[in-house]
Every structure is written in structure tokens, then in C-alpha cells.
Amino acid sequence: MKAHFAGGCFWCVTPIYKMYGVDKVICGYSGGDEVNPTYEDVKAQKTGHRETIELVYDPEKVSYDKLLDIFFANVDPFDPEGQFIDKGFSYTLAIYYSTEEEKLRAQSRIHKLEEESGKKTYVAIEKFKSFYEAEEYHQDYYLKNPEAFEKEMIESGRRTK
């Protein structure tokens, strides 16, 4: 099965899913109408896409609800401008659903979070329409560039020293 989440910087959210049994995490772009967008255009807010990860998973090993748990544990759902130091539409949060069941689960999770926190969340729930794989150097960035990745995590505010 596949799931698609926009959680801000795709480099920053990739490794956590692999720790929880997701078979494959692919960095890419979703949400916009432009075909085959480039990183530079997405980052410059020119395409209407968000940085998105495609999760290929076995629901016998990890459930969709668990994927939602991981998503919400690793983002700031209360920031309407983006995530951590990454600002702009391409870094805003979205859950792209493929089935009505996924949509309902995402809506339920957001409703519960808003009730518990007393705050408005900024997580778009949109019907999945397309996913464009990002350029190769973005794939498994944390493995290819561990020092730069660690620096990004600290400078972004996602991780403390």
C-alpha cells in the first residue's frame, strides 16, 4: 500500500518512518498541477506542490493509523506558515488520501488533536492526485549526507544538540 504525507522538509521526515517498518520512503512532490516539477520551482513556491513523502508499506506490519501517529509526532500542526525554519506553501502540512477510509481517519485524528489542545490545526486533507519523485540526490539524504542532515535537523529546530 501507499500513503502520501507532506510534513515540511522531506529530508527531515524520511528516516523516522523507516524506523517503524515502512518498506520504502520516497521524497517527492504532490498537490500541484504542474507535471514533473523541479525542487527549485517547488521550493520557490512556483508550482502549488508541497514537499511530500510517499510511503510504501505493508499494513500487516504498520497500520495507516500508526503512520498518522508518526506524522503528527514529527510535525508542528499548529503552524500555518510551514514547518520549523522552512516557510512557504511547499512546506505546509497535508495528508493526501486515496480512500474515504483514509480521509475519515485523518479527519478524526485532526479533530481529536484540536479538541485535546484547544488549538486550530493547519493540516490540509486533500484527495491524492499525483506524486512526482524528487531528484535522486534527495532520496535517502540522511544516509548520503549524514553530517549535513544532522546540521539541518538542529538548525531547523526539529532536534536539539
Side-chain angles (χ1 to χ4, degrees), residues 16-132:
I16 192 72
Y17 288 95
K18 290 194 176 183
M19 290 173 51
Y20 285 94
V22 170
D23 296 326
K24 193 171 186 181
V25 182
I26 304 165
C27 294
Y29 317 108
S30 283
D33 293 322
E34 184 174 319
V35 176
N36 294 318
T38 66
Y39 177 69
E40 290 75 20
D41 285 345
V42 172
K43 187 173 180 161
Q45 316 304 319
K46 294 180 179 179
T47 68
H49 290 84
R50 291 180 178 96
E51 287 194 15
T52 302
I53 53 173
E54 179 176 82
L55 306 172
V56 179
Y57 70 101
D58 178 348
E60 296 293 321
K61 289 194 241 172
V62 59
S63 70
Y64 188 77
D65 286 334
K66 182 63 175 177
L67 297 178
L68 289 172
D69 289 344
I70 297 166
F71 176 78
F72 283 108
N74 287 280
V75 298
D76 178 1
F78 308 111
D79 186 346
E81 304 296 322
Q83 289 295 288
F84 304 92
I85 63 168
D86 296 314
K87 301 300 180 188
F89 180 81
S90 65
Y91 296 108
T92 60
L93 302 178
I95 297 169
Y96 296 104
Y97 65 90
S98 295
T99 67
E100 284 302 308
E101 180 66 23
E102 289 176 355
K103 178 182 178 181
L104 293 173
R105 287 180 178 184
Q107 287 172 330
S108 175
R109 189 62 52 94
I110 289 170
H111 178 72
K112 182 180 177 188
L113 182 59
E114 288 180 339
E115 269 191 351
E116 290 173 350
S117 69
K119 298 178 184 178
K120 177 176 176 27
T121 60
Y122 296 91
V123 182
I125 300 175
E126 298 180 7
K127 179 119 178 91
F128 175 75
K129 56 184 177 181
S130 61
F131 177 79
Y132 299 98

Side-chain angles (χ1 to χ4, degrees), residues 7-14 51 53 83 86 90-91 152 158:
C9 170
F10 47 35
W11 295 343
C12 297
V13 293
T14 298
E51 287 194 15
I53 53 173
Q83 289 295 288
D86 296 314
S90 65
Y91 296 108
E152 173 78 17
R158 286 182 184 259

